[in-house]
Amino acid sequence: MPEFVLPPVVLLGPGASSTVGKEVAALGCRKVLVVSDKFLVEMGLVARIQEHLKAAGVESLVFSEVNPDPTTGNVASGIKVLKEGGCDGVVSVGGGSALDCGKTIAYIGAAIPDDPLKAVKTVPQATCSLPFIAIPTTAGTGSEATQFVVITDPVAQEKMVVVRRNLMPRLALDDPELTVTMPPKMTAATGMDAFTHAVEAFVSPNASPLSDALALKAITLIGRHLRQAFAKGDDISARTGMMEAQLLAGMAFNNAGLGYTHAMAHPLGARYHVHHGVCCSLLLPAVCAFNLSVVPERYREIAAALGCTTRGLSTEAAAREAVAAIAQLRHDLKLPQRLSEVGVREEDLASLAEEALHDRCAPTNPRQGTKEEVMAIYRAAL
Ligand SMILES: [Fe+2]
């Protein structure tokens, strides 16, 4: 039976993050672990969140040892602080890394694991998790609306995608004011991550009318707002549009799944330490071109959502307009255009393709390829 899973409560709008104290207290938490990164601690944002918590009578501890690609070691260290501090909930403040790390700490923190790597892979759905509250500071991952986490095993250089219902946050506070200081480069990369979520969810074989509505609206909003958020970071209307879009995209892929762009981006990120959104943006047009022949009508709808002129064109020609518009968006955002720019070499493609085909996101790509075909997609983006 297909299931449709959405976050229970999202407060979205300027100032949403200032409600954290009263909302966390309402969930019954008395002492929470705030998971973030060093930069946001230095910026004073973590202290502001702690003040809101304190004002509502909620104590807090901070764990800020989160890598850009959170590792099993980060999760283990966070669980140690959580347990020693006697925390009964987790609040993550940050980008996808802080959110995924915090979600995993809250999820397996109650299970007292000796081996977090093993626990991430084996703790079942039924395990009781601690209340988790997500406060994103980027508009990209949609992690506050998904039951997905990506945790890196540094020894195997593998990005593990874990999907469990218990990983869905209890509450998301989507505050566009927190994104106005995001630099243009980060705005572009995270925005293209959200865009990729929407496109991959829309063309997935698991898409449904419910996920389509979310994905297509996300594509429209990103087409309308991402260039402006990139060019003028303090435009709160553009930032709000992007916050809405990445939430919609997260809800869409949470149910429809992702595809080869993500399956191929994960080994790239694990090996070259390139930002996930940049990896997605580098691969997306080539993956769309590969998929085009099997679902052209879907790409035609994407072209229309992006405002391309499709009237009078054949379905195939309209679909190609979507791929051109995506490449143009990447160009306008001044992102890297070729994989070679981030250090990828021809001799790496065979092992990258091997890993991509085993990635959790691969089965929901609309067209399944051989190792040679996946290598050819990488080569087209090289
Ligand atoms: Fe992503």
Side-chain angles (χ1 to χ4, degrees), residues 127-265:
T127 302
C128 179
S129 53
L130 296 173
F132 175 74
I133 297 88
I135 307 179
T137 57
T138 65
T141 67
S143 181
E144 79 277 23
T146 75
Q147 51 193 344
F148 284 62
V149 293
V150 183
I151 299 293
T152 298
D153 173 359
V155 177
Q157 286 196 328
E158 180 199 355
K159 281 194 168 191
M160 297 181 297
V161 181
V162 184
V163 188
R164 300 278 192 277
R165 273 193 204 166
N166 298 45
L167 286 166
M168 178 63 79
R170 288 277 290 279
L171 171 72
L173 302 176
D174 279 6
D175 188 342
E177 278 177 357
L178 301 187
T179 66
V180 297
T181 53
M182 193 168 34
K185 248 187 193 173
M186 188 62 82
T187 300
T190 53
M192 285 304 285
D193 182 27
F195 184 71
T196 307
H197 295 158
V199 170
E200 297 215 295
F202 190 66
V203 302
S204 161
N206 287 351
S208 69
L210 300 177
S211 62
D212 285 353
L214 301 165
L216 214 50
K217 188 66 181 178
I219 291 167
T220 302
L221 287 172
I222 292 169
R224 193 179 294 160
H225 294 294
L226 180 52
R227 287 178 178 87
Q228 176 67 2
F230 171 73
K232 197 171 182 310
D234 62 355
D235 183 331
I236 196 70
S237 163
R239 291 297 195 181
T240 301
M242 282 306 300
M243 191 56 92
E244 291 165 343
Q246 63 92 37
L247 173 65
L248 289 165
M251 293 192 292
F253 90 77
N254 190 50
N255 294 286
L258 293 165
Y260 273 4
T261 312
H262 273 78
M264 295 170 67

Side-chain angles (χ1 to χ4, degrees), residues 21-36:
K22 118 176 137 53
E23 294 292 344
V24 167
L27 287 173
C29 298
R30 292 289 163 257
K31 185 175 185 182
V32 293
L33 183 69
V34 179
V35 177
S36 190

Side-chain angles (χ1 to χ4, degrees), residues 12-193:
L12 192 155
S17 62
S18 63
T19 68
V20 63
K22 118 176 137 53
E23 294 292 344
V24 167
L27 287 173
C29 298
R30 292 289 163 257
K31 185 175 185 182
V32 293
L33 183 69
V34 179
V35 177
S36 190
D37 58 50
K38 289 199 170 67
F39 176 72
L40 293 174
V41 171
E42 280 166 24
M43 291 274 290
L45 177 59
V46 171
R48 284 213 310 274
I49 295 297
Q50 286 188 285
E51 280 165 25
H52 293 309
L53 289 164
K54 194 176 172 190
V58 179
E59 287 184 70
S60 60
L61 290 174
V62 176
F63 174 70
S64 61
E65 310 294 318
V66 181
N67 290 22
D69 290 315
T71 63
T72 46
N74 293 155
V75 173
S77 305
I79 288 173
K80 193 162 178 285
V81 180
L82 176 107
K83 296 220 166 284
E84 286 175 0
C87 300
D88 54 11
V90 178
V91 175
S92 272
V93 188
S97 305
L99 265 57
D100 280 10
C101 189
K103 277 163 97 167
T104 315
I105 291 169
Y107 170 51
I108 57 177
I112 318 174
D114 297 322
D115 178 354
L117 172 60
K118 192 172 159 213
V120 164
K121 288 184 170 171
T122 59
V123 171
Q125 296 278 12
T127 302
C128 179
S129 53
L130 296 173
F132 175 74
I133 297 88
I135 307 179
T137 57
T138 65
T141 67
S143 181
E144 79 277 23
T146 75
Q147 51 193 344
F148 284 62
V149 293
V150 183
I151 299 293
T152 298
D153 173 359
V155 177
Q157 286 196 328
E158 180 199 355
K159 281 194 168 191
M160 297 181 297
V161 181
V162 184
V163 188
R164 300 278 192 277
R165 273 193 204 166
N166 298 45
L167 286 166
M168 178 63 79
R170 288 277 290 279
L171 171 72
L173 302 176
D174 279 6
D175 188 342
E177 278 177 357
L178 301 187
T179 66
V180 297
T181 53
M182 193 168 34
K185 248 187 193 173
M186 188 62 82
T187 300
T190 53
M192 285 304 285
D193 182 27

